[in-house]
Amino acid sequence: MTTIYLVRHAEAEGNAKRIFHGQYNSVLTEKGHRQADATGKFLADTKIERIYSSDLTRTYMTAHHVAAYQGCDIIKMPELREVNAGSWENTPFAKLQEKYPEAFASWQTDTFGFAFPDGESVKEVTERIGKCIDKIAAENDGKRIAIVSHATPIHCIKFYYEAMTDEERQNHGWVTNASVSRCIYKDGKLEFISY
C-alpha cells in the first residue's frame, strides 16, 4: 500500500492572467509562493519520504516549498506534465473563445473526449498519468509520497481509477491551486480519501 498526496501547483502567471498554459513554462506568482508555502506547512507534520514533480517550473517551484518542510529530494518526471495543448498553449482564454468558438465550446462540454489542436487528447493524458502513477506507486510500496502536478492530470487520475460515466466525468470538479488530495494505492487500485 502506498499513501499518495496529490498536490496541484500553486498560482502561476497563467492562472493569474487567465491564460491557458498547457505545457508552456511559467513561474509562480507572489501569491503562488505564499500558497505553496502554506501547502508545505499543511503537510509538515506528515512524514513524506519522496516527492515527485512535473518538470515544469510552476510545479517544481511548488514541490520545493513542500520539500523545505520534509527534507527529502524531488524527482522530476515529464510524465506528470500538464496536457500538451498544442496551438492553444499560452493563449488567453478570452482569445481562445473568440478564435475557436466551436472547439472551445466542445472542450467545455466534452472535456474527456476533447483533443487539443496539434496537442494531446484528454484520453491520452489519462493514459499517460495513469501509467505514471502505477509506476511510482509500485516503486514506493509501503511509503508515503507526494506527487506535484497540474489540474488536468489530477482530474484525469480520477478518470483512470474510477469507473465514471461520461456525465460524471464532465460534471466532476477541478482541484484548486495548491490543493492537496490524499489517496491510497493498493493492488493496482487508487482510492481518493479526499479530493
Side-chain angles (χ1 to χ4, degrees):
M1 180 180 86
T2 308
T3 302
I4 301 173
Y5 292 88
L6 289 172
V7 177
R8 182 185 173 193
H9 66 80
E11 184 187 76
E13 294 168 323
N15 304 125
K17 296 176 182 175
R18 298 296 301 141
I19 293 171
F20 198 112
H21 263 5
Q23 293 187 6
Y24 177 81
N25 223 356
S26 67
V27 297
L28 297 183
T29 62
E30 286 184 31
K31 177 181 177 182
H33 281 289
R34 291 192 303 272
Q35 289 175 332
D37 186 62
T39 299
K41 285 179 184 171
F42 175 76
L43 290 169
D45 293 334
T46 303
K47 179 59 184 154
I48 292 172
E49 297 170 74
R50 194 166 287 151
I51 299 172
Y52 292 84
S53 174
S54 155
D55 62 344
L56 296 178
T57 303
R58 59 194 184 268
T59 45
Y60 194 60
M61 290 172 93
T62 302
H64 268 281
H65 283 278
V66 175
Y69 292 90
Q70 297 294 334
C72 60
D73 292 331
I74 302 167
I75 300 164
K76 287 184 180 181
M77 295 187 74
E79 298 95 323
L80 295 171
R81 282 184 175 194
E82 181 57 281
V83 63
N84 176 347
S87 58
W88 287 26
E89 295 270 324
N90 199 34
T91 305
F93 281 95
K95 189 172 181 180
L96 289 173
Q97 195 167 8
E98 179 186 302
K99 191 173 178 181
Y100 308 102
E102 289 179 19
F104 192 84
S106 177
W107 172 61
Q108 294 197 316
T109 58
D110 184 22
T111 304
F112 187 70
F114 190 74
F116 287 89
D118 305 315
E120 287 180 295
S121 71
V122 176
K123 288 178 184 175
E124 288 171 322
V125 177
T126 302
E127 285 299 312
R128 167 169 56 87
I129 196 74
K131 288 176 183 174
C132 183
I133 298 295
D134 286 338
K135 179 178 182 245
I136 290 170
E139 292 172 357
N140 291 280
D141 189 35
K143 295 181 180 174
R144 190 178 292 124
I145 64 171
I147 296 175
V148 186
S149 191
H150 306 262
T152 305
I154 294 172
H155 200 63
C156 290
I157 289 168
K158 292 279 277 184
F159 300 165
Y160 189 80
Y161 290 103
E162 297 179 6
M164 300 174 86
T165 65
D166 288 344
E167 184 178 350
E168 287 171 331
R169 285 193 293 250
Q170 190 55 40
N171 294 318
H172 186 50
W174 293 82
V175 292
T176 57
N177 289 117
S179 62
V180 178
S181 301
R182 183 171 168 257
C183 309
I184 301 295
Y185 185 99
K186 186 176 180 183
D187 300 326
K189 296 178 183 174
L190 184 134
E191 177 187 358
F192 278 82
I193 307 303
S194 63
Y195 179 80

